Amino acid sequence: MSTLTVTRESGCADKMRKYSILVDGVSIGSIAEGETLHSEIDPQKHRVEARIDFCGSRTLEIDGSHDQSLTVRSGLPSWHGAHSLYKVFIDRKGYLELEVNNEN
C-alpha cells in the first residue's frame, strides 16, 4: 500500500467550506483550508479529483505504486468578479486546481 497525501492551500476563496477528495469516484474525505488528508491507496493507477458542490478539478491520474503528494487550491483569483461566474457556469472542472507535488 502507498499513501496519498492531499494538502489544501490557504486562499481567499471558499475559506469556510471543505473540498471533497475523490479517488476513482469514491470520496476518501473532505479537507478544510490549510488541512492535510492522508489515505492509503492500492498499488495501481488511480484517478483523483477534488469537488465542491457542482464544481471541481480536472481529473488527475496518479500511480499508486509509490507515495504521492498533491496540492489542491481554488482556481479563482483574489478579485473574483466575472472570472468567478465563468468558473462556476462554464469551466466547472477548472474551479479547483489539483497538482502533483512530487513523483517518487
Side-chain angles (χ1 to χ4, degrees):
M1 297 287 267
S2 298
T3 301
L4 172 63
T5 302
V6 182
T7 301
R8 178 174 165 188
E9 287 187 347
S10 296
C12 61
D14 307 317
K15 275 190 154 330
M16 305 301 288
R17 304 180 67 208
K18 292 186 174 187
Y19 298 162
S20 296
I21 306 300
L22 292 86
V23 175
D24 299 327
V26 178
S27 177
I28 60 167
S30 57
I31 189 168
E33 182 182 35
E35 287 186 339
T36 299
L37 174 70
H38 303 279
S39 181
E40 295 290 317
I41 56 174
D42 292 327
Q44 62 190 30
K45 294 217 181 273
H46 295 281
R47 297 172 59 83
V48 181
E49 60 185 297
R51 286 201 188 143
I52 182 169
D53 297 329
F54 56 87
C55 295
S57 68
R58 288 172 176 70
T59 302
L60 186 65
E61 189 169 292
I62 62 167
D63 180 3
S65 65
H66 55 273
D67 293 347
Q68 293 283 339
S69 176
L70 308 177
T71 298
V72 62
R73 71 180 63 83
S74 172
L76 298 178
S78 58
W79 44 270
H80 302 296
H83 191 72
S84 296
L85 294 174
Y86 173 78
K87 289 289 188 181
V88 170
F89 293 108
I90 307 225
D91 187 22
R92 292 181 181 163
K93 289 286 188 176
Y95 185 87
L96 301 177
E97 298 172 355
L98 189 61
E99 67 181 27
V100 177
N101 294 332
N102 67 340
E103 292 273 348
N104 295 357

